[in-house]
Amino acid sequence: MNERYRVKPEQKIDLSEWDPSDTTAFDGDKEAGEEATAKLNKGLEALQELLYAEGKRKVLLVLQAMDTGGKDGVIRHVFDGVNPQGVKVASFKRPTPEELAHDYLWRVHKVTPGSGEIVIFNRSHYEDVLVVRVHNLVPEGVWSRRYDQINAFEKQLAEEGTTILKFFLHINKDEQKERLQARLDEPDKNWKFASGDLAERALWPEYQKAYEAVLSRTSTAHAPWYIIPANRKWYRDLVISQILVETLEGLEMRFPPAEEGLDRIVID
Ligand code: AMP
Ligand code: MG
């Protein structure tokens, strides 16, 4: 699973070749998939506790997707039951005047994980080569330099002990239509509907192209991208849980050594 959806460094990505409805690893078996996710979730709980107790490593997850792609759903489901102590979510909205007065990584670096922490980026510095590129918010000469800058920034984080995983939740335009329609039809989803999303939807091809550039240019050994088939929510959550658990297991973390002589202590 870890391999199947990972973008290799320098791999040229054409998103039309990646099936957003793919469920091959579980053969479309939703029930079995949900069971597997629940098991992984228990594993994640334990690994997060170990990470926190060890207090050495830092873990950064980046979530990017088109509107309705499921970023919020992933945060809710994959981290269900995980101790909120030690897990933080950082959401990146349209930059404030203060943020705009600084370089684009300023607001990002401030909220990267500290030792023992997992931080989830709900959108990220990649918006600065996505929405910014699609809407020409800065000249091409400025955004086109950012891919290399981002690679250098992430390399520095990795060299200083941060494990970085980046997930692109891949849905297609039909699936987005259904999900936007649900936001219109279901009263308790109305709050999620932003009419601005329709203008972004009209720019679908431009966004896909901008995502292809991101995936082709910024997947590195130290900060890989994964293209997650996300039309099926259960499969999306399963794949991400699995990659996350495998990666955390690979860190070979240890609980800190106990104090000397615990076995001789008597509590009266
Ligand atoms: P949401 O995630 O639905 O709450 O929307 C956040 C909005 O902020 C999205 O439309 C993003 O494209 C936008 N946004 C995030 N980062 C930036 C950025 N660096 N420049 C411009 N817009 C951004
Ligand atoms: Mg939105």
Side-chain angles (χ1 to χ4, degrees):
M1 200 82 106
N2 220 324
E3 279 297 312
R4 184 195 299 255
Y5 302 112
R6 180 167 44 214
V7 178
K8 288 163 201 70
E10 318 277 326
Q11 184 179 352
K12 189 97 191 61
I13 297 301
D14 173 350
L15 281 172
S16 68
E17 293 168 357
W18 293 71
D19 178 9
S21 297
D22 181 30
T23 55
T24 39
F26 259 73
D27 226 6
D29 190 341
K30 181 174 175 187
E31 214 167 294
E34 284 175 341
E35 240 166 70
T37 303
K39 247 185 232 147
L40 287 163
N41 183 258
K42 288 283 157 219
L44 181 61
E45 260 185 76
L47 284 160
Q48 188 269 331
E49 171 151 332
L50 183 53
L51 181 95
Y52 187 74
E54 190 195 53
K56 282 189 184 158
R57 342 262 169 150
K58 323 175 218 306
V59 177
L60 175 61
L61 308 179
V62 171
L63 296 179
Q64 283 289 159
M66 296 295 288
D67 290 316
T68 75
K71 300 190 298 332
D72 298 305
V74 166
I75 295 168
R76 232 176 319 118
H77 295 126
V78 173
F79 288 88
D80 185 28
V82 175
N83 186 348
Q85 195 154 226
V87 180
K88 288 184 190 158
V89 179
S91 296
F92 294 92
K93 307 280 183 189
R94 193 181 295 248
T96 64
E98 190 190 20
E99 288 168 348
L100 273 179
H102 292 79
D103 74 87
Y104 67 101
L105 292 173
W106 179 74
R107 66 173 181 166
V108 178
H109 205 162
K110 282 199 291 199
V111 291
T112 51
S115 301
E117 277 180 1
I118 298 177
V119 171
I120 306 162
F121 279 4
N122 182 349
R123 301 188 189 270
S124 65
H125 43 301
Y126 285 98
E127 291 293 329
D128 293 284
V129 283
L130 290 164
V131 63
V132 167
R133 169 177 167 159
V134 169
H135 287 280
N136 298 306
L137 300 181
V138 299
E140 177 169 357
V142 174
W143 61 251
S144 63
R145 286 195 295 260
R146 292 181 173 174
Y147 301 94
D148 290 341
Q149 292 166 357
I150 288 172
N151 286 338
F153 169 62
E154 291 177 354
K155 183 156 191 264
Q156 189 235 325
L157 293 180
E159 285 175 353
E160 293 285 321
T162 306
T163 298
I164 306 172
L165 296 173
K166 302 182 294 197
F167 300 109
F168 169 58
L169 313 181
H170 182 35
I171 58 167
N172 60 14
K173 211 177 166 192
D174 290 342
E175 182 65 25
Q176 189 192 54
K177 184 177 183 182
E178 273 180 35
R179 294 185 188 183
L180 285 172
Q181 191 64 50
R183 290 180 178 188
L184 286 176
D185 295 345
E186 296 169 36
D188 57 355
K189 285 190 180 167
N190 286 169
W191 67 276
K192 286 201 220 174
F193 188 86
S195 44
D197 292 352
L198 299 181
E200 299 311 292
R201 174 173 166 78
L203 294 166
W204 189 275
E206 286 81 1
Y207 271 105
Q208 296 293 294
K209 199 169 148 231
Y211 268 109
E212 285 171 346
V214 161
L215 296 163
S216 302
R217 298 188 58 183
T218 63
S219 194
T220 56
H222 55 268
W225 273 108
Y226 293 86
I227 300 176
I228 306 296
N231 274 3
R232 306 280 168 271
K233 295 173 183 172
W234 66 269
Y235 194 71
R236 166 200 81 195
D237 295 340
L238 170 65
V239 173
I240 292 180
S241 301
Q242 187 140 332
I243 293 168
L244 187 53
V245 166
E246 276 177 23
T247 303
L248 292 178
E249 281 171 352
L251 295 180
E252 298 182 351
M253 298 179 285
R254 300 271 173 272
F255 282 108
E259 275 180 48
E260 287 283 329
L262 285 190
D263 51 340
R264 292 190 302 278
I265 292 180
V266 179
I267 300 174
D268 52 27

